[in-house]
Amino acid sequence: MIEDDAYQGLNHLSTLILTGNPIQSLALGAFSGLSSLQKLVAVEINLASLEDFPIGHLKTLKELNVAHNLIHSFKFPEYFSNLPNLEHLDLSNNKIQNVYHEDLKVLHQMPLLNLSLDLSLNPLDFIEPGTFKEIKLNELTLRSNFNSTHVMKICIQGLAGLKINRLVLGEFKNERNLQSFDRSVLEGLCNLTFEKFRIAYFSEFPRDDTGLFNCLVNVSMISLLSLDLDSLEALPKDCRWQHLELINCNFKQFPTLKLNSLKEFVFIDNKGMSTFTEFELPNLQFLDLKRNRLSFKGCCSHTNFGTTKLKHLDLSFNDVITMNSNFLGLEQLEHLDFQHSNLKQANDFSVFLSLRNLRYLDISYTNTRVVFHGIFVGLVRLQTLKMAGNSFQNNLLPDIFTELTNLIILDLSKCQLEQVSQMAFHSLPRLQVLNMSHNKLLSLDTLPYKPLHSLRILDCSFNRIMESKEQELQHLPRSLALLNLTQNDFACVCEHQSFLQWVKDQRQLLVGAEQMMCTQPLDMQDMPVLSFRNATCQMNKMIISVSVLTVLLVSVAGVLVYKFYFHLMLLAGCKKYGRGESTYDAFVIYSSQDEDWVRNELVKNLEEGVPPFQLCLHYRDFIPGVAIAANIIQEGFHKSRKVIVVVSQHFIQSRWCIFEYEIAQTWQFLSSRAGIIFIVLHKLEKSLLRQQVELYRLLNRNTYLEWEDSVLGRHIFWRRLRKALLDGKPWRPEGTADADSRQQEATAST
C-alpha cells in the first residue's frame, strides 16, 4: 500500500524503484510531491492497468518501466498528454493480446516524437490496421511476441503507416516461440518508414536470402543477430545501407559484399569459417572483424577491403594474421586493433610506415617478439599504444619509440622485461600513463623516466623490485601523481634504509602503500614496508666524523653512567643480595589495566593455593616515599627468585612495563639463579607484538604460558605455573603441612 503524500518533500528525487513489491493499493496522491522525478520503475507490482496508475502529474518523467505486470490493455490513458518528456515506455512481459486504434488516441492527438516503446514478451494476436498510421516513435521492440509466423505477419501489417527511427524484431535466446521463419513475414515492412532495423534469434531462418530484404533497401542501418545464415549474397542492388552488423550468424564462408553505400561493417562472433575473403566496399570507414577465428594470409592493404577510406579496423581475437604489406592505401586509419591474434612477420620491416594518421594501436598478446628497432616508424600521431603480453630481445626494452612524440598512453605489462634502456623513453614528452606491471624488473631504475615531463601514472606493480638508490629517486618526473609499487620483492634491511624512508615520506604518491610488503629478511617477511623502523639499524661507522671524535671520548663515560644507571644499580644489588635468601617467590610485572586479572586470578590462586607462593606486587609491597625505579629494583628484583611478566596489548603499549621488562632482562643476565616466566594474557596481533622486536624474539625462542579461560585450560595453566615457581624454591615440610591442615579445615567448614 502506498498512501497519499507518501513521498511528500522529496522534490529533488529523480529515480524511484518499486520493483517486486506486492502493491494492493495505490492512493491517487501516492506520487505527489515528486516534482523532479525522471525515472519510475514499477516492475512486478501486480499492476493490472495503466488507467489506475496515478502518475498523470509527473511532467518531468522520462522513463516508465511497468514490465512483468498484469496489464491486459494497451490503451494509453488520457493523462499521457501531461507527460511531454516521456522517452521510454517498457510494457514487456505483460498480458497484452490485442492492439486497437482507440488505444493510441492520445498519441494521435499529442505525439511523443522521442518515445521508445518495448512490447516484448506480450502474447500479441492482433494489431488493428491503421492503429499506428502517422504515429512517430523513436524505437519499437517486438521480441518473442508471436506464437506463429501467421500471427506475426498480421501484426506487422497492422504497423502500416508507422514512422520510426529504429525497429527491433525477433526472439530472445531462451524464449523461442516460432519453429520456423517465413520470408513473407517481412513483406509488411514495406508499409513502414524506419531508419534502423534489427532482427534477432530466429530459428530456421531462410538460407536463401533472395527477396528477403526487399523491404529494407532504404534503411541506413541493419543488424542481424544470431540468425542461421549460410551466406548473404542476393542483396537488392539499390540497397542504401550505411551500417551493417552480422553477429553470431554461423556463416560458412565470408560474405562477398558489394555495397557502395556501406560505411560501417561489423562482423563478429561468426566462428563457422576460417579464411578471410577480400571484398569491395569503396566507401567503408569502420570495419570490425573481431572474434571470428579468421586467418589472413596477406595483411594489410586497400585491396583486402576494397576501400581507401578506412579509419577504424579491428582484427582482434582472430587466428594467424600474416603481415606482408605496410597498409598501402589505408593511410587514413586512426584505430587499429590486433590484440589476441597471432601476428606473423610484423617484426621484419616497418609494417606501420604508412599510418601517419593512426591514433590508437593495440598489438597486445600477439606473440610478437620485438627485435627490429624500426617497428613503429611512421606512427607520428599515435596517442595510445598497447603491447602487453609480448616479448623483447634479451628482455631489454630498447629505444623503439623515437617517432612516437605524441604518445599519451603506453602499456608494456607482461612483457618479461628485466631491464629498461636509459634512452627508451627519451622521445615521449607527452606520455601521461605508463604501465610496466607484471614484468621482471629487479630495481626501480628511475633514470629512463626522467624525460617523461608529462607522466601522471606509473604502474610498476608485480615486478621483482627490491629497492631503489637514493640518487635515482630524484629522477622521477615532477608531474607524477600516482606510482604503483605493490606486489614487489622489497628487502627491508638497513642497506636499503634510504629507500624505505622514501616510501614512508611518499605515501600520497604511492598507490596502496599499506599493501607494500617485505619479502626479506625472514623475520620481516609479509610485514608492511611502512612498519620498518630506522632505529633498528646500527649507525654506520663511516658517518662518524673525525672532528667529533674527541668530544665523543670525553662524553662517553657520562653517557654510559646516565644510560645504564638503573642497570648499574641492579648490578650492585645483585652483589649485595646475591647470597641471601629471597623474600618473594616472584615479582609480577603487569599493566595497571590488567590489575583485576592479577588480583582475582594470579594472587588468589598462587598465594592461597597449595603450596602457597609469596608474590611481590607494586601496589602492596613497594615502600612509600621511595622512587618507583628504586622500588622496582630493590623490592622487586633483588628480593625475588623469579619474575612473572604478564604480556597483553596494554603491556606492550605501556612505557613503564617495557622499562620493567628491559631491567628484568639485565637482572636475568646478572643473576645465575634468575628466571623470567612469560604469561600471554590475550591473543596478540603479530603486527603489534613486532613493535617490540626483542620481546617478539624472546617469545619465539622460549616457552611461555598462555591464559585460557576454560576448565581444562585453567587446570593446565596453574599446574604449569606452579611447577615453574617450584623450580629453585627451598623445601619446607612444615610449610606444606600447615598448608595441608588449612586446606582440611577449609574443607571441614564447608
Side-chain angles (χ1 to χ4, degrees):
M1 178 180 295
I2 301 180
E3 299 180 351
D4 287 324
D5 302 325
Y7 303 103
Q8 195 66 34
L10 301 179
N11 54 320
H12 294 295
L13 192 70
S14 62
T15 301
L16 176 60
I17 301 175
L18 300 172
T19 300
N21 285 287
I23 297 175
Q24 298 179 7
S25 174
L26 275 172
L28 292 178
F31 301 116
S32 63
L34 299 176
S35 57
S36 301
L37 195 67
Q38 296 184 16
K39 179 177 179 180
L40 176 58
V41 181
V43 175
E44 288 188 298
I45 65 167
N46 297 327
L47 185 65
S49 171
L50 287 176
E51 291 280 0
D52 303 328
F53 207 39
I55 60 172
H57 61 288
L58 301 178
K59 295 183 178 182
T60 58
L61 195 65
K62 291 185 177 181
E63 180 178 346
L64 175 60
N65 188 344
V66 288
H68 293 264
N69 278 296
L70 307 173
I71 300 172
H72 288 79
S73 174
F74 184 61
K75 185 175 182 180
F76 279 40
E78 292 290 335
Y79 65 72
F80 265 66
S81 60
N82 296 326
L83 306 177
N85 296 303
L86 191 63
E87 297 178 353
H88 185 88
L89 175 58
D90 191 342
L91 286 165
S92 62
N93 212 339
N94 275 279
K95 308 295 181 182
I96 300 172
Q97 291 182 285
N98 302 303
V99 179
Y100 300 103
H101 184 276
E102 188 68 19
D103 294 340
L104 298 182
K105 182 179 178 181
V106 174
L107 291 185
H108 284 283
Q109 295 174 348
M110 183 181 177
L112 296 171
L113 301 180
N114 292 321
L115 182 63
S116 295
L117 180 60
D118 192 345
L119 287 173
S120 300
L121 296 167
N122 281 282
L124 292 178
D125 289 330
F126 175 71
I127 297 179
E128 183 180 1
T131 299
F132 287 91
K133 186 177 181 180
E134 300 301 327
I135 293 290
K136 295 181 180 179
L137 296 175
N138 180 53
E139 183 173 325
L140 175 62
T141 303
L142 297 171
R143 299 182 65 177
S144 297
N145 292 102
F146 315 107
N147 57 16
S148 70
T149 54
H150 175 69
V151 172
M152 183 177 180
K153 184 176 181 180
I154 292 176
C155 290
I156 290 179
Q157 290 174 349
L159 297 176
L162 175 64
K163 296 181 179 180
I164 189 171
N165 180 46
R166 186 170 187 259
L167 176 63
V168 180
L169 296 179
E171 298 189 302
F172 291 100
K173 184 176 182 180
N174 299 320
E175 294 284 347
R176 304 289 183 96
N177 297 328
L178 299 181
Q179 299 299 320
S180 61
F181 186 86
D182 187 346
R183 70 179 66 249
S184 64
V185 166
L186 300 182
E187 292 177 356
L189 296 178
C190 290
N191 299 318
L192 280 69
T193 303
F194 53 97
E195 284 293 314
K196 301 175 182 179
F197 178 71
R198 164 170 278 200
I199 187 167
Y201 287 105
F202 273 129
S203 303
E204 301 298 327
F205 202 75
R207 297 182 183 275
D208 181 7
D209 60 341
T210 304
L212 184 63
F213 302 104
N214 286 344
C215 292
L216 300 172
V217 294
N218 292 321
V219 300
S220 62
M221 174 182 177
I222 184 168
S223 175
L224 307 181
L225 171 62
S226 295
L227 302 178
D228 194 11
L229 283 173
D230 278 344
S231 62
L232 193 66
E233 297 179 355
L235 296 177
K237 294 182 179 180
D238 55 347
C239 272
R240 299 180 182 178
W241 298 351
Q242 295 185 19
H243 183 113
L244 174 61
E245 292 182 354
L246 303 176
I247 303 173
N248 192 25
C249 287
N250 298 320
F251 283 92
K252 302 303 180 186
Q253 59 184 7
F254 198 88
T256 303
L257 300 176
K258 294 182 179 180
L259 295 171
N260 292 338
S261 61
L262 200 64
K263 294 182 178 180
E264 298 183 10
F265 182 30
V266 177
F267 186 83
I268 62 178
D269 287 317
N270 298 286
K271 300 180 175 65
M273 72 205 80
S274 60
T275 305
F276 171 76
T277 304
E278 295 181 354
F279 48 77
E280 189 74 21
L281 299 172
N283 290 302
L284 194 66
Q285 298 179 14
F286 184 102
L287 179 58
D288 188 347
L289 298 177
K290 63 174 170 280
R291 296 198 300 271
N292 292 302
R293 301 177 185 170
L294 290 173
S295 293
F296 294 77
K297 295 181 179 179
C299 183
C300 296
S301 70
H302 68 98
T303 58
N304 299 122
F305 314 115
T307 180
T308 58
K309 300 180 180 180
L310 203 61
K311 294 184 178 181
H312 181 109
L313 177 58
D314 191 339
L315 298 177
S316 61
F317 296 91
N318 279 292
D319 204 351
V320 176
I321 300 177
T322 303
M323 311 296 292
N324 62 1
S325 174
N326 53 3
F327 295 90
L328 291 176
L330 298 176
E331 290 82 5
Q332 294 189 40
L333 266 178
E334 296 178 0
H335 182 107
L336 182 58
D337 193 343
F338 285 111
Q339 64 170 306
H340 290 275
S341 295
N342 190 357
L343 285 186
K344 297 291 187 182
Q345 301 179 15
N347 201 38
D348 294 351
F349 60 102
S350 299
V351 65
F352 307 112
L353 182 63
S354 303
L355 302 181
R356 304 185 71 83
N357 291 306
L358 198 68
R359 296 328 195 250
Y360 180 98
L361 175 61
D362 193 341
I363 58 171
S364 302
Y365 305 98
T366 53
N367 295 321
T368 300
R369 181 170 178 80
V370 179
V371 178
F372 177 52
H373 288 196
I375 184 173
F376 297 125
V377 170
L379 300 176
V380 293
R381 288 185 175 88
L382 194 68
Q383 295 179 354
T384 300
L385 174 59
K386 297 183 178 181
M387 51 188 307
N390 293 301
S391 61
F392 293 83
Q393 188 177 27
N394 300 322
N395 295 329
L396 169 68
L397 180 64
D399 180 13
I400 58 174
F401 308 119
T402 305
E403 295 193 7
L404 309 187
T405 55
N406 290 296
L407 200 64
I408 296 175
I409 299 173
L410 176 59
D411 186 356
L412 291 166
S413 60
K414 296 186 178 180
C415 287
Q416 306 176 47
L417 289 171
E418 296 178 0
Q419 290 179 294
V420 178
S421 168
Q422 300 295 322
M423 299 294 291
F425 306 124
H426 75 97
S427 59
L428 305 178
R430 298 184 181 180
L431 192 69
Q432 296 181 19
V433 180
L434 176 57
N435 189 350
M436 299 289 290
S437 65
H438 294 86
N439 281 295
K440 300 178 180 179
L441 301 176
L442 297 176
S443 65
L444 182 60
D445 185 1
T446 61
L447 189 58
Y449 309 117
K450 187 177 181 180
L452 303 178
H453 304 302
S454 302
L455 191 65
R456 300 281 298 166
I457 300 174
L458 175 59
D459 189 349
C460 291
S461 61
F462 292 91
N463 276 276
R464 300 177 181 177
I465 297 173
M466 298 180 66
E467 53 88 30
S468 179
K469 296 179 181 178
E470 185 176 6
Q471 59 270 25
E472 292 180 350
L473 295 172
Q474 301 173 1
H475 299 309
L476 284 174
R478 294 183 179 180
S479 59
L480 194 64
L482 295 174
L483 173 60
N484 193 341
L485 294 176
T486 58
Q487 302 297 327
N488 276 285
D489 299 337
F490 297 113
C492 299
V493 294
C494 293
E495 299 168 42
H496 305 157
Q497 184 176 351
S498 59
F499 171 70
L500 298 173
Q501 183 60 45
W502 179 85
V503 171
K504 292 181 180 181
D505 297 338
Q506 300 295 328
R507 293 189 191 184
Q508 293 184 344
L509 173 66
L510 295 168
V511 177
E514 295 78 10
Q515 281 75 50
M516 294 173 61
M517 299 296 174
C518 303
T519 59
Q520 300 178 31
L522 289 178
D523 59 343
M524 291 286 290
Q525 196 169 22
D526 296 328
M527 289 183 62
V529 171
L530 295 177
S531 67
F532 180 83
R533 293 191 173 187
N534 295 334
T536 60
C537 298
Q538 293 181 355
M539 183 180 294
N540 191 331
K541 293 182 180 179
M542 297 300 294
I543 301 176
I544 301 175
S545 174
V546 177
S547 61
V548 299
L549 183 59
T550 305
V551 177
L552 183 61
L553 291 174
V554 172
S555 60
V556 68
V559 171
L560 289 174
V561 171
Y562 173 79
K563 185 174 180 62
F564 298 103
Y565 170 76
F566 295 110
H567 298 269
L568 295 172
M569 184 188 297
L570 186 63
L571 176 62
C574 285
K575 293 181 177 181
K576 179 179 179 181
Y577 299 101
R579 298 181 181 179
E581 188 172 335
S582 299
T583 305
Y584 306 101
D585 292 295
F587 171 47
V588 185
I589 300 175
Y590 63 96
S591 169
S592 59
Q593 297 193 47
D594 299 322
E595 191 167 304
D596 287 342
W597 183 87
V598 173
R599 287 178 181 245
N600 299 328
E601 294 290 346
L602 191 67
V603 174
K604 184 176 180 180
N605 281 278
L606 292 182
E607 292 193 346
E608 298 177 13
V610 180
F613 297 97
Q614 186 64 35
L615 303 179
C616 179
L617 304 165
H618 68 81
Y619 69 85
R620 182 185 67 186
D621 300 314
F622 279 10
I623 301 173
V626 178
I628 295 176
N631 263 320
I632 290 172
I633 295 172
Q634 295 173 4
E635 292 298 318
F637 291 104
H638 288 162
K639 295 184 179 181
S640 302
R641 291 189 303 107
K642 295 183 180 293
V643 172
I644 296 176
V645 180
V646 181
V647 182
S648 68
Q649 182 176 347
H650 305 304
F651 179 92
I652 294 174
Q653 295 173 342
S654 170
R655 294 178 61 186
W656 272 111
C657 290
I658 298 303
F659 168 74
E660 291 178 334
Y661 160 70
E662 290 175 349
I663 297 299
Q665 283 186 286
T666 305
W667 168 78
Q668 185 181 34
F669 175 77
L670 296 174
S671 179
S672 59
R673 63 179 182 177
I676 300 177
I677 302 171
F678 291 95
I679 297 176
V680 177
L681 198 55
H682 304 291
K683 289 285 186 181
L684 297 175
E685 294 181 6
K686 287 189 176 181
S687 59
L688 181 63
L689 188 56
R690 284 173 176 158
Q691 293 178 8
Q692 301 298 329
V693 178
E694 291 300 325
L695 179 59
Y696 174 72
R697 290 176 176 173
L698 274 174
L699 289 178
N700 278 338
R701 292 200 303 260
N702 295 280
T703 303
Y704 59 88
L705 296 173
E706 192 168 1
W707 172 252
E708 183 178 349
D709 195 10
S710 65
V711 175
L712 179 59
R714 292 165 68 99
H715 174 76
I716 295 174
F717 176 84
W718 294 119
R719 187 183 67 181
R720 294 179 65 196
L721 180 56
R722 288 191 182 96
K723 183 177 180 181
L725 290 173
L726 283 172
D727 181 32
K729 180 177 175 65
W731 179 251
R732 294 182 179 177
E734 66 279 6
T736 305
D738 292 341
D740 291 338
S741 64
R742 287 198 302 270
Q743 187 175 9
Q744 291 174 3
E745 289 173 4
T747 304
S749 62
T750 302

